[in-house]
Amino acid sequence: MVNTAFKPFKAKLNKTLTKKKITVLQINLGKRCNLACTHCHVEASPKRTEELSPEICEQLIELINKFPQIQTVDLTGGAPEMNYGFKQLVKAARTNKKEVIVRSNLTIYFVKGFADIPEYCAENQLKIVASLPCYLEDNVDKMRGYGVYSQSIKALQWLNKLGYGKNPNLVLDLVYNPPVPSKNQFTLPPNQKNLEEDYKKYLKENFNINFNQLFTITNLPIGRTKLYLQNRKIYQPYLDFLESNFNSETVENLMCRNELSIDYLGNVYDCDFNQMENIPAQTNKIEKITVAKLLEANSLDIIEQVQTANYCYGCTAGCGSSCSGSLI
């Protein structure tokens, strides 16, 4: 049944969503991952083999070397540490004094061949943004798999011993995702600051763990989350809920406005969510953009208008949602 009251995102926005100067390069290195989380919009898993190629890696390194305006190189996946190009891109970014963010699932540290990653991150002063969708064990294991919570706690303690969460040059942030709803009762992430205090109190008292900030991120109805909602016949009601909580004050700070999201094939998108839904960024001539075209144009700022879709309500509902948590 179609909800005639639902207003498409573009109509709700009532204006063109424009790009700002690009300062963030977010690179998805591939879909290889040691986990297969129920809420993963990338649909990564141990069975996936797609990853960055040496050719695209070299183009990205050239991009990082060429444009001083890039302030942050944000590496994601899958598990970015597992995919080709991870250390090559870190080296290029740090050589150019860029901030490097690694979006880690933490459990990768216990996979054979990756035990050096915590020390490597510390040596290169990489900012770690780690997924811990709840501070309680049962909730985490339901979303990410049995034993993930226990390994995550050990990994956080490991990082603390290296100085993360204590040394100002070793930043450790955590990410909260609410459980994906199984019935027609929806909520937005709780107040980020209040939940951060709860996380810090619980993790400190129970495991002597320190971290810097907590980011709350809304589950967008794409990837595995979309399939989950559709199977329970609550996909459209969830979109209706997000639309009803639209907050125009979030639009100014949307992450898609100052970042480029790049996939393992070298295609360019406005954000990671558009990347997963295969909605490429475009020039005003409606041309698809690749890393090679950015290098040819000698500019990162060739996109005027951000491509939007109805799931953008997930980033603009309530206090807003981004890879750095709440927007307001």
Side-chain angles (χ1 to χ4, degrees), residues 163-314:
Y164 272 97
K166 302 172 184 178
N167 183 328
N169 295 318
L170 298 176
V171 176
L172 173 61
D173 295 327
L174 301 183
V175 175
Y176 163 87
N177 292 90
V180 180
S182 59
K183 52 187 177 181
N184 198 347
Q185 293 179 342
F186 310 119
T187 58
L188 293 173
N191 178 277
Q192 183 168 283
K193 193 63 183 172
N194 291 344
L195 187 59
E196 178 182 295
E197 291 174 2
D198 292 341
Y199 261 71
K200 285 188 171 180
K201 183 174 186 291
Y202 186 87
L203 293 176
K204 184 66 176 176
E205 288 180 354
N206 289 276
F207 305 106
N208 197 29
I209 287 171
N210 297 289
F211 68 93
N212 295 91
Q213 287 183 274
L214 178 74
F215 300 147
T216 57
I217 298 182
T218 302
N219 289 317
L220 266 70
I222 62 176
R224 287 188 188 129
T225 299
K226 181 179 180 180
L227 290 172
Y228 182 92
L229 295 169
Q230 287 175 331
N231 288 338
R232 285 156 180 78
K233 307 287 193 290
I234 54 174
Y235 169 70
Q236 188 58 49
Y238 185 61
L239 268 182
D240 294 342
F241 168 76
L242 295 175
E243 187 255 347
S244 69
N245 283 279
F246 173 76
N247 184 350
S248 60
E249 292 182 19
T250 63
V251 175
E252 178 64 24
N253 297 320
L254 286 171
M255 63 182 181
C256 55
R257 303 191 68 185
N258 71 329
E259 83 166 21
L260 297 178
S261 173
I262 300 171
D263 70 11
Y264 60 91
L265 296 171
N267 300 307
V268 178
Y269 304 80
D270 292 306
C271 72
D272 188 51
F273 304 117
N274 280 0
Q275 182 183 144
M276 296 311 133
E277 289 295 289
N278 197 27
I279 301 177
Q282 297 178 351
T283 66
N284 55 9
K285 295 180 181 178
I286 327 242
E287 297 172 328
K288 287 176 65 176
I289 304 165
T290 63
V291 177
K293 286 185 179 179
L294 293 173
L295 291 168
E296 184 182 336
N298 196 31
S299 174
L300 298 177
D301 300 300
I302 62 175
I303 304 165
E304 293 182 8
Q305 183 175 335
V306 175
Q307 302 300 308
T308 60
N310 287 339
Y311 53 75
C312 297
Y313 279 123

Side-chain angles (χ1 to χ4, degrees), residues 128-193:
I128 296 175
V129 178
S131 180
L132 192 71
C134 184
Y135 54 79
L136 299 175
E137 182 172 14
D138 187 51
N139 291 348
V140 172
D141 284 358
K142 281 180 180 176
M143 293 177 72
R144 315 202 70 193
Y146 177 76
V148 168
Y149 182 83
S150 176
Q151 284 196 330
S152 298
I153 293 299
K154 290 176 183 176
L156 291 171
Q157 291 170 331
W158 187 349
L159 291 171
N160 276 177
K161 286 180 182 178
L162 294 171
Y164 272 97
K166 302 172 184 178
N167 183 328
N169 295 318
L170 298 176
V171 176
L172 173 61
D173 295 327
L174 301 183
V175 175
Y176 163 87
N177 292 90
V180 180
S182 59
K183 52 187 177 181
N184 198 347
Q185 293 179 342
F186 310 119
T187 58
L188 293 173
N191 178 277
Q192 183 168 283
K193 193 63 183 172

Side-chain angles (χ1 to χ4, degrees), residues 40-59:
C40 179
H41 68 279
V42 180
E43 299 185 66
S45 82
K47 295 181 180 179
R48 303 300 291 264
T49 58
E50 305 97 315
E51 66 178 339
L52 197 67
S53 69
E55 178 187 4
I56 300 301
C57 185
E58 286 303 313
Q59 290 178 5

Side-chain angles (χ1 to χ4, degrees), residues 34-35 104-111 147-149 151-152 155:
N34 59 307
L35 300 178
S104 182
N105 66 32
L106 296 174
T107 64
I108 186 64
Y109 305 161
F110 304 101
V111 175
V148 168
Y149 182 83
Q151 284 196 330
S152 298

